[in-house]
Amino acid sequence: MDPLDDLIAHQSGMVARRQLLALGLDADRVRNQVAAGRWVPRSPRVVSTTTGDLTWQQRCWLGALHAGPRSLVGGLTAAEVWGLERWTRPQVTVLVDDELSFEPVPGISFFRSRRPFQLLASPRAGLPLVRFEPAVLLFAAYEAQPRAGHGVLAASVQQRLTTAARLEEWIDLLHPLRRARSFRRSLVDIGSGAHSAAELTVRRMCRRHRLALPARQTPRVDRAGRRRWTDCEWDLPGGDVLILEIDGSFHLEVEQWSADIRRARRLTSRHRIVVRCTTYELHHEDHEVAADLIALGVPRTRPHDAA
């Protein structure tokens, strides 16, 4: 196969001008191809050998080729290449060496990093790509809002693209990593024992905000006649019961989310109120959960009772 044809096929029709020059195609020959309508300049450094709108794969190659050989497709773009679903973003993310300097490209987000690229780079052939675990962890740590960051880690495990244990290993490899401590707490819930860990977190929240400790794993029969065990219950002063149901990490699967909604509805009665929260809220926004519980009538404790 002709070297140029081979390169074009390998890179989804995208070619850097430096690559063309290395193959003996100088600026004049490139200009002739563009003038003939065969090729299209996509950035000052990259041309496409196809016309029309670029595909998603071609935009990934555009970002990597424009940034140069010291670059890797990363973030949620890399995660999508690896198979992560429902976290698509319009921008293509490319990790670049901290010392690189180049022109911006619409639709491409260049994320500068001093981390060793030999550690981050996937060994597989094709698009220069960050390995899955560092791709999602670096996105969660530096590009995402905290809630989204924890959500993408949960989605990565739920979709079986990695495990909580492998993400823990990569937190160590990426040290220092922003939000590492909070990620480790979430990974305990994501990996196993979400409810037992959540119950301990509820107890800490109650002591911190002087709430009465709840009854846990109380058996109830719902309206469909099924026996259920509730996560946390409080007897309210007026005789009603307040139930707090805890969603383990982030329930992103539609079927699981629907089942949780149905469960809460069937447990609710005239004198039994069911509210829900996530383990993320218990870990990172417990003051808001506590305020809502107080507003619903959960009894307070005296200062010496909270010890």
Side-chain angles (χ1 to χ4, degrees):
M1 197 173 188
D2 178 87
L4 177 58
D5 292 337
D6 190 20
L7 187 66
I8 290 170
H10 177 71
Q11 297 179 172
S12 301
M14 309 297 291
V15 191
R17 291 179 182 268
R18 65 177 184 281
Q19 294 175 317
L20 294 170
L21 188 59
L23 293 174
L25 279 74
D26 60 18
D28 289 336
R29 294 179 65 181
V30 174
R31 191 180 302 112
N32 291 339
Q33 292 283 2
V34 171
R38 302 186 188 95
W39 294 358
V40 179
R42 301 296 183 171
S43 83
R45 302 183 180 199
V46 183
V47 298
S48 69
T49 60
T50 61
T51 58
D53 294 337
L54 296 180
T55 65
W56 181 77
Q57 184 81 3
Q58 287 177 317
R59 292 200 299 118
C60 292
W61 275 107
L62 169 60
L65 292 171
H66 180 81
R70 287 281 299 163
S71 66
L72 297 167
V73 173
L76 291 186
T77 310
E80 185 172 352
V81 175
W82 287 111
L84 184 67
E85 298 178 350
R86 296 185 291 278
W87 283 83
T88 299
R89 296 293 187 273
Q91 292 278 108
V92 168
T93 299
V94 178
L95 267 63
V96 296
D97 187 281
D98 192 59
E99 296 178 357
L100 289 179
S101 179
F102 43 81
E103 309 85 351
V105 177
I108 311 292
S109 174
F110 296 105
F111 181 82
R112 297 181 182 273
S113 176
R114 292 188 175 91
R115 298 178 186 274
F117 277 32
Q118 64 269 25
L119 171 68
L120 304 178
S122 164
R124 80 177 194 178
L127 187 68
L129 197 64
V130 176
R131 296 172 187 265
F132 181 78
E133 287 82 7
V136 294
L137 281 167
L138 291 174
F139 166 79
Y142 299 104
E143 295 186 77
Q145 294 297 316
R147 185 181 290 269
H150 290 262
V152 76
L153 299 186
S156 299
V157 176
Q158 289 168 351
Q159 295 180 28
R160 295 179 171 83
L161 296 170
T162 187
T163 64
R166 286 206 295 271
L167 288 169
E168 284 265 14
E169 292 172 3
W170 272 97
I171 289 175
D172 292 336
L173 291 171
L174 295 172
H175 179 78
L177 182 71
R178 186 182 178 211
R179 301 173 183 160
R181 180 180 296 181
S182 63
F183 291 160
R184 291 186 193 279
R185 288 199 298 265
S186 287
L187 288 172
V188 170
D189 299 330
I190 293 166
S192 63
H195 280 86
S196 60
E199 288 174 2
L200 293 175
T201 308
V202 169
R203 291 178 68 86
R204 286 196 296 269
M205 175 191 70
C206 289
R207 290 192 171 101
R208 183 180 299 122
H209 298 283
R210 296 179 42 233
L211 299 179
L213 293 178
R216 294 176 293 163
Q217 296 301 309
T218 303
R220 294 282 184 184
V221 177
D222 68 15
R223 279 197 300 278
R226 294 190 61 180
R227 191 174 180 84
R228 306 284 193 179
W229 281 264
T230 61
D231 293 334
C232 301
E233 287 194 8
W234 289 268
D235 292 327
L236 303 183
D240 293 342
V241 173
L242 177 67
I243 297 174
L244 176 65
E245 291 283 80
I246 304 163
D247 293 343
S249 299
F250 289 75
H251 284 188
L252 301 177
E253 302 298 333
V254 172
E255 291 183 3
Q256 179 64 56
W257 178 77
S258 298
D260 290 341
I261 293 292
R262 188 182 305 113
R263 166 188 164 95
R265 185 173 65 248
R266 288 177 177 174
L267 282 171
T268 302
S269 69
R270 290 180 60 188
H271 300 289
R272 189 189 302 152
I273 306 165
V274 181
V275 294
R276 297 168 61 193
C277 72
T278 65
T279 54
Y280 175 90
E281 291 176 294
L282 291 177
H283 282 310
H284 309 289
E285 300 170 357
D286 70 336
H287 59 288
E288 295 189 12
V289 178
D292 291 339
L293 294 174
I294 292 168
L296 289 168
V298 170
R300 309 295 300 277
T301 62
R302 294 189 299 271
H304 67 271
D305 292 336

